[in-house]
Every structure is written in structure tokens, then in C-alpha cells.
Amino acid sequence: MTTSSETRKLIVVTGASTGMGASTARQLARHGFHVLAGVRRDRDADAIRSTGVEPVILDITDTEHVEALAARIADDPRPLHALVNNAGVQVNAPVEALPMAQWRQVFEVNLFGHIAVTQALLPALLRDKGRVINISSIGGKYAMATYGAYAGAKFALEAVSDSLRREVASLGVQVVVVEPGGVRTEIAARGITTANDLAARMTPEQNERYGSLVQANNQLMATGTASGLTADAAARVIVKAVTTRRPRTRYTAGRDAALIMRLGPMLSDRMLDRILAANLRRHHPKNATATAPRDERVVHTR
């Protein structure tokens, strides 16, 4: 798979500690690219370091980290072929119950951090006619209950991607969005734990309104990711977006994502509401009150 031209090219993959990001970094290295793999901790750097994969400590919300990454690329004579904006957090809670600090955190990581990295690396990408790959989600098109913050940031990322694509296409930079469905990575387990933590802080009135909904959504999340793509399979879609000479503007990853993206535009909002509600209803706890779990920890990998 390696070509002589690829061995001279750099690729940045953010959020490469585990899951899709780690798998994407390794697969791209096997294609002959030199991958700068963004991780947040030294132990993650030790785990990802391998031939063609150079870990860099990168919190995309930290200005100094982003500037250091840009300086590292500026000092390298190899062209920058692609930036893969993959880092992300999943936070699920009802709109009413999610504290504003968490709303801001989700948007800082899932939107503003990607914009900061993209701004910092665009001069190199413009010079080298590279491409930007933004990892969105089916949640970037359709927002389920308790996904307000996560989907809101992904909706915004989709819009920013469209705008950026139209700004830089004539300058030789391609912008691609990848929209995965359920993927078996650690983000699901962390998302369920966070959802339970947030539910434990809801007021009694909020518990009465949303507790059963939170439990149902956690079960749906666990079930959906259990039947989803492996991280390696999702990464292969990202690698295709990176390596294809003339990539599409959007790729789905997984049959669930492809089905939703195909059928969604054919349905009215009310019809889609009924379908999503019926699907979620199957996961509501039987013979239970609406009270959300206080100490439960669901362990599941995505």
C-alpha cells in the first residue's frame, strides 16, 4: 500500500489515544505516511508510538499545545497531507438538566478545538494542497433525546465543514466529513458513566421528568454500540477519505449510519419523532419509576 510519495507526507490525527483515532493513525502509518498522533497523556504516547506514528501531547482546547503542533509541522520539510479532526467527548443529558459548564465543555472540545487546530494548520495545508477530515456523527444530522449538546456541536461542525469547503476548494484544499454510526470504542462507556453522573445531580423534579429516559438512552447506547462497527472498520473509512484522490464531501461509516442518512430526508419531523420514541421505549426500565440511577456504572466499550 505504501507509495514513494506518501512516505514524504505528514498527517495529523487528533484524539489518537484509543479507538478510531488510534486505529486510524496505525493504518495510515502502514500506508507509508508519517502520522503525528495527538494524545493527552504520556502513557497514551507510549502505547501509540510505533513505526510511522509519532505521538504528540495535544489537548485541542489548549492554545499552547496547538501552537506547539503548528511549530512542529512548520519545522518539518515534509508536506502536510491531511488533518484528521477526531478528538471528542460524549455528554448526554436532557437540555434542562445539563449545566452550562458542561454545554461549554462539549462545544470547546467537539467544535472550537477543531476550529483552533484547523486555523493553526491551514497555512501548511494551503501550501501543500492538503485536506481536512472532520469526524462528525449521525448525530450531526439527527439529534435524539439527551443528545442536545453532543448533536448541537456536531451539527455546528457539519456547518463549519461546509463553509470551509466552499472557502478553500479553489485554493486546492479538500474538506471531507465522516459520519459514523455506532462504533465499539471507549467513548460509549465514558458517555454512559458521564450520563449517570449528570443524572445523579438532577433535581427531584428533573428526576421525575427524565430519569427513566436517561436509563433508556444508556441502554440504547450500550446496545447500539455493541452491534456497531469495530474501531478498525470505522478507521478504514477515514483512511479512504484521506487517501482517495478525489474524495466525496461526506462518508458514512456503518450500516446504521447509511440507513439513517438515506431514510431521514424522506420522513417528516413528526414521523421521525415517533420512530425514535418507539425505538427508545423498548429500552425503558420495566415497572420502574422515572428516578435515574445514582451509583450505577455501566461498563461497555465502543
Side-chain angles (χ1 to χ4, degrees):
M1 289 190 177
T2 303
T3 69
S4 58
S5 62
E6 287 171 347
T7 58
R8 298 193 300 272
K9 294 180 180 179
L10 299 174
I11 292 181
V12 171
V13 179
T14 69
S17 297
T18 60
M20 287 192 303
S23 183
T24 298
R26 294 187 180 106
Q27 290 186 37
L28 287 168
R30 289 197 291 272
H31 276 259
F33 294 103
H34 185 84
V35 181
L36 301 177
V39 299
R40 296 189 61 184
R41 298 168 296 193
D42 289 334
R43 67 173 180 267
D44 296 328
D46 293 337
I48 194 69
R49 185 180 288 106
S50 59
T51 302
V53 179
E54 176 188 338
V56 293
I57 299 299
L58 178 63
D59 177 344
I60 63 172
T61 69
D62 187 312
T63 301
E64 291 184 359
H65 287 191
V66 174
E67 290 175 349
L69 174 64
R72 163 68 183 83
I73 291 169
D75 290 339
D76 197 305
R78 291 169 289 192
L80 179 60
H81 176 69
L83 162 63
V84 180
N85 283 314
N86 171 73
V89 295
Q90 184 164 345
V91 175
N92 292 82
V95 171
E96 178 189 357
L98 185 63
M100 288 308 302
Q102 272 70 45
W103 278 94
R104 293 186 176 96
Q105 179 202 22
V106 172
F107 274 75
E108 283 292 340
V109 177
N110 291 359
L111 177 65
F112 299 133
H114 297 320
I115 295 172
V117 175
T118 301
Q119 286 182 337
L121 301 191
L122 258 179
L125 290 165
L126 289 164
R127 180 189 65 231
D128 301 325
K129 309 298 183 185
R131 62 186 66 175
V132 177
I133 314 295
N134 286 332
I135 310 305
S136 181
S137 165
I138 56 173
K141 293 293 188 181
Y142 300 98
M144 297 192 301
T146 79
Y147 278 76
Y150 180 82
K154 292 298 187 180
F155 266 64
L157 183 63
E158 296 263 353
V160 171
S161 300
D162 286 342
S163 184
L164 179 64
R165 185 180 70 250
R166 291 158 186 157
E167 291 165 1
V168 298
S170 64
L171 304 175
V173 173
Q174 297 168 313
V175 179
V176 181
V177 175
V178 177
E179 298 161 333
V183 182
R184 300 197 295 271
T185 70
E186 293 180 8
I187 193 171
R190 292 194 294 266
I192 291 171
T193 298
T194 300
N196 284 333
D197 289 340
L198 290 166
R201 300 177 214 164
M202 291 196 299
T203 67
E205 293 80 11
Q206 290 170 345
N207 264 323
E208 182 67 26
R209 288 192 282 273
Y210 309 118
S212 180
L213 173 65
V214 171
Q215 292 183 66
N217 189 72
N218 283 348
Q219 183 59 40
L220 177 61
M221 195 187 318
T223 301
T225 55
S227 60
L229 287 180
T230 64
D232 286 344
R236 284 195 288 273
V237 178
I238 300 172
V239 170
K240 181 178 181 181
V242 170
T243 58
T244 299
R245 184 172 176 272
R246 294 177 62 87
R248 303 200 302 263
T249 59
R250 278 175 171 78
Y251 291 85
T252 57
R255 280 183 285 185
D256 57 341
L259 181 63
I260 291 171
M261 293 300 185
R262 188 176 301 118
L263 294 180
M266 303 177 188
L267 303 173
S268 69
D269 288 345
R270 297 300 185 192
M271 179 61 72
L272 187 58
D273 288 350
R274 288 194 288 271
I275 292 171
L276 292 175
N279 187 40
L280 193 60
R281 196 175 301 121
R282 297 186 295 113
H283 297 279
H284 275 266
K286 294 179 174 60
N287 302 319
T289 66
T291 302
R294 292 289 176 169
D295 299 312
E296 178 185 3
R297 292 294 181 270
V298 182
V299 178
H300 196 283
T301 58
R302 180 175 104 171

